């Protein structure tokens, strides 16, 4: 009760003092306002006809979250504090500060500051309005409010996901020009971030504070700016984007070890990796804004898709070469069938060939599979008679057909060379790309 009584007494004393000390011109302004609007002189700024009132600001960030690249904004929970001096509120009868709730604000002058880059905001009212006014004996006034703000932050994502974003908090006077008000930060640490604020995907720090003047056709208005640096952490993208895409590219190289004749296996593997990487790329861009420039993530995804698609094209080249060589081989075989049969050799197993033993050969006169005695040349090697009478020959078991030689396939040999080259070229090329890419990111 004593404090309340002293508060009422001080306010009455302030009212009497200000009414007696006001000049004639200020009194005329007050009289005009009272006659027109029915309001008191408390709505006029301090030093109405004197120097501009100086307002110092302080912002304490207690929460920082919801950084949205797609919407290009961020949300903060702040304590916004404003300080100024109003000589009309000075007192000497009580050597103690006076704390008032927000209800008294309508009866006194307060700065009309607003956040220029605000997209949404609200006062906190649980359990009561989270704001207060503190008056000091020398007339200094502290006005503190608790706000949640969604502020715009125009981001350049060319270096995404290793980018650094500069986000501002921009405060300005709405109606008072530089002739009536000056706006400043309280000190070099007026923009402070709580130690409990930890962002999972950003490193957050204050970059700097500055004063400014906003020029419009209606006048020059005082303003201040504070800057945050948001440095993106790449750990999430390494695990969720880069590592899976690397594995998909490596899987596409397995087709080089699959035989070129296994067309279903190689085609299915190549198409599956292409579609998987395309889906993975689309999911990575789902939460990104549509920008007209190329980002580092776009370069990476485009390169991975190029490697996977090149593996698919490599099999198309191999398959084309295989079919071309097979057509050439069929033509050669058909031409060979149209020529006379090649000489055949019958070897006497009782007298194996050596440097001193003679070799006996016979030339078939035509390509008939049936041997005729009258078409054989008259020679007399040991087992020649058995050739004619094979069923009764004692050397029947001695004559064995030569084992067939495996057919030489030039197409297969050529295709193996292409696959062997790609087994080395693709990994080396992808490794060189990674070196250039990551050195470029950490430049």
């Amino acid at each position: 009760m004593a404090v309340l009584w002293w508060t009422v007494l001080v306010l009455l004393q302030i009212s009497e003092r200000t009414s007696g000390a006001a000049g004639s011109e200020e009194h005329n302004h007050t009289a005009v306002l009272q006659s027109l609007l029915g309001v008191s002189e408390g709505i006029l700024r301090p030093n109405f006809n004197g120097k501009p009132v100086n307002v110092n600001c302080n912002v304490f960030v207690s929460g920082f979250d919801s950084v949205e690249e797609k919407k290009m904004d961020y949300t903060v929970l702040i304590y916004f504090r404003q300080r100024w001096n109003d000589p009309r509120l000075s007192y000497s009868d009580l050597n103690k500060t006076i704390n008032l709730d927000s209800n008294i604000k309508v009866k006194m002058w307060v700065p009309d500051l607003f956040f220029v880059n605000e997209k949404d905001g609200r006062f906190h009212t649980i359990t009561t309005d989270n704001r207060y006014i503190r008056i000091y004996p020398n007339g200094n006034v502290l006005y503190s409010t608790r706000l949640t703000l969604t502020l715009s932050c125009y981001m350049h994502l060319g270096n995404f996901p290793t980018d650094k974003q500069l986000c501002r908090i921009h405060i300005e006077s709405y109606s008072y020009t530089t002739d009536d008000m000056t706006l400043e930060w309280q000190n070099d640490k007026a923009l402070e971030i709580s130690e409990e604020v930890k962002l999972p995907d950003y490193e957050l720090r204050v970059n700097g504070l500055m004063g400014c003047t906003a020029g419009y056709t209606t006048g020059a208005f005082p303003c201040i700016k504070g800057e945050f640096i948001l440095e993106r952490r790449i750990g999430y993208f390494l695990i969720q984007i880069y590592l899976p895409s690397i594995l998909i590219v490596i899987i596409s190289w397995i087709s080089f070890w699959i035989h070129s004749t296994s067309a279903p296996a190689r085609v299915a593997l190549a198409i599956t990796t292409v579609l998987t990487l395309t889906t993975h790329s689309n999911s990575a861009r789902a939460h990104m804004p549509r920008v007209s420039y190329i980002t580092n993530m776009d370069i990476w995804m485009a390169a991975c898709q190029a490697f996977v698609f090149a593996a698919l094209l490599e099999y198309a080249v191999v398959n084309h070469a295989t079919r071309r060589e097979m057509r050439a081989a069929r033509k050669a075989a058909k031409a060979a069938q149209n020529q006379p049969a090649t000489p055949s050799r019958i070897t006497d197993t009782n007298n194996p060939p050596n440097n001193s033993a003679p070799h006996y050969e016979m030339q078939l006169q035509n390509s008939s599979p049936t041997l005729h005695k009258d078409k054989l040349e008259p020679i007399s090697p040991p087992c020649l008679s058995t050739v004619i009478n094979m069923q009764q020959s004692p050397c029947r078991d001695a004559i064995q057909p030569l084992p067939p030689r495996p057919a030489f396939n030039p197409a297969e040999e050529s295709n193996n060379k292409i696959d062997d080259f790609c087994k080395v070229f693709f990994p080396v090329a992808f490794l060189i790309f990674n070196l250039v890419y990551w050195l470029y990111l950490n430049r």
Side-chain angles (χ1 to χ4, degrees):
M1 291 297 295
V3 173
L4 181 61
W5 182 84
W6 276 106
T7 301
V8 174
L9 180 63
V10 168
L11 292 177
L12 290 175
Q13 183 178 359
I14 291 173
S15 178
E16 293 177 357
R17 185 179 302 176
T18 54
S19 61
S24 59
E25 186 176 357
E26 183 175 354
H27 179 73
N28 292 336
H29 281 86
T30 303
V32 171
L33 288 174
Q34 287 178 341
S35 63
L36 292 177
L37 304 176
V39 296
S40 63
E41 66 170 325
I43 64 171
L44 298 177
R45 70 169 181 85
N47 307 320
F48 182 75
N49 286 316
K51 61 182 182 179
V53 58
N54 180 262
V55 179
N56 296 323
C57 296
N58 173 276
V59 175
F60 180 78
V61 180
S62 61
F64 199 115
D65 54 11
S66 300
V67 180
E68 296 286 347
E69 292 88 356
K70 195 170 185 178
K71 296 180 179 179
M72 289 197 176
D73 58 27
Y74 65 99
T75 303
V76 289
L77 174 62
I78 65 171
Y79 293 91
F80 181 44
R81 305 176 182 121
Q82 308 168 58
R83 289 180 171 86
W84 68 93
N85 181 269
D86 190 344
R88 297 170 297 183
L89 300 180
S90 61
Y91 58 91
S92 58
D93 298 333
L94 181 65
N95 189 18
K96 186 178 180 180
T97 60
I98 300 176
N99 295 321
L100 305 172
D101 60 21
S102 59
N103 295 327
I104 199 66
K105 184 174 75 70
V106 296
K107 301 178 183 179
M108 59 183 296
W109 181 88
V110 295
D112 60 342
L113 303 182
F114 73 102
F115 295 88
V116 178
N117 57 333
E118 175 196 355
K119 298 175 70 174
D120 191 17
R122 65 184 179 89
F123 289 96
H124 289 263
T125 58
I126 301 194
T127 56
T128 59
D129 291 347
N130 295 174
R131 48 188 173 178
Y132 69 86
I133 296 175
R134 183 176 296 169
I135 303 175
Y136 294 86
N138 61 354
N140 288 340
V141 181
L142 168 63
Y143 177 41
S144 177
T145 57
R146 184 168 176 256
L147 307 170
T148 293
L149 303 172
T150 299
L151 305 176
S152 62
C153 177
Y154 297 104
M155 305 178 184
H156 183 77
L157 302 171
N159 294 327
F160 178 86
T162 58
D163 55 324
K164 296 180 181 179
Q165 301 300 333
L166 183 65
C167 295
R168 293 185 174 91
I169 180 169
H170 190 180
I171 305 171
E172 184 180 315
S173 173
Y174 192 81
S175 63
Y176 292 100
T177 64
T178 53
D179 296 331
D180 297 318
M181 180 191 294
T182 60
L183 193 58
E184 298 176 350
W185 289 105
Q186 183 178 355
N187 51 47
D188 295 338
K189 297 183 178 180
L191 181 58
E192 186 179 1
I193 303 175
S194 173
E195 295 180 356
E196 298 180 356
V197 174
K198 302 294 182 181
L199 299 181
D201 49 353
Y202 288 97
E203 290 285 350
L204 175 64
R205 63 179 185 273
V206 176
N207 185 52
L209 307 175
M210 63 191 75
C212 58
T213 300
Y216 303 97
T217 57
T218 54
F221 297 84
C223 61
I224 55 176
K225 295 179 181 179
E227 295 181 344
F228 300 103
I229 289 290
L230 297 172
E231 183 174 357
R232 196 183 305 273
R233 295 174 178 171
I234 198 175
Y236 169 81
F237 300 95
L238 286 176
I239 298 173
Q240 299 295 331
I241 304 297
Y242 286 101
L243 184 58
S245 58
I246 290 174
L247 294 178
I248 293 173
V249 172
I250 294 175
I251 290 173
S252 68
W253 301 340
I254 297 178
S255 63
F256 304 148
W257 278 265
I258 300 177
H259 199 275
S260 59
T261 58
S262 302
R266 295 190 66 162
V267 172
L269 178 61
I271 294 179
T272 300
T273 53
V274 170
L275 296 178
T276 302
L277 190 60
T278 302
T279 304
H280 185 65
S281 177
N282 292 336
S283 64
R285 297 188 181 98
H287 301 287
M288 295 293 297
R290 296 178 180 178
V291 295
S292 59
Y293 48 84
I294 298 176
T295 66
N296 290 342
M297 181 65 73
D298 294 332
I299 296 175
W300 173 266
M301 286 300 178
C304 291
Q305 287 178 338
F307 275 98
V308 172
F309 190 70
L312 176 60
L313 291 181
E314 186 269 348
Y315 178 66
V317 173
V318 169
N319 188 46
H320 176 71
T322 301
R323 297 177 64 183
R324 185 179 60 183
E325 295 292 342
M326 290 178 65
R327 286 195 299 267
R330 283 195 297 266
K331 290 181 180 180
K334 187 174 181 181
Q337 289 178 359
N338 295 330
Q339 295 179 357
T342 58
S344 60
R345 175 175 299 177
I346 301 178
T347 305
D348 185 1
T349 55
N350 296 326
N351 297 297
N354 50 41
N355 293 334
S356 59
H359 293 258
Y360 301 97
E361 298 181 355
M362 66 178 179
Q363 177 69 40
L364 299 179
Q365 301 299 320
N366 53 31
S367 58
S368 174
T370 306
L371 297 177
H372 297 280
K373 181 177 180 181
D374 57 350
K375 294 184 180 181
L376 295 176
E377 294 181 313
I379 55 177
S380 56
C383 293
L384 179 59
S385 61
T386 61
V387 176
I388 301 172
N389 301 312
M390 185 65 69
Q391 299 298 328
Q392 294 82 17
S393 173
C395 300
R396 180 180 56 184
D397 297 334
I399 302 176
Q400 299 292 337
L402 296 176
R405 177 180 294 179
F408 173 71
N409 189 350
E412 182 178 350
E413 184 69 18
S414 176
N415 298 336
N416 289 337
K417 290 181 179 180
I418 297 176
D419 284 337
D420 291 341
F421 173 77
C422 293
K423 291 175 185 178
V424 177
F425 173 76
F426 274 73
V428 172
F430 191 65
L431 178 61
I432 293 175
F433 165 73
N434 273 269
L435 292 176
V436 174
Y437 181 82
W438 293 109
L439 291 177
Y440 172 77
L441 288 186
N442 296 324
R443 69 191 188 280

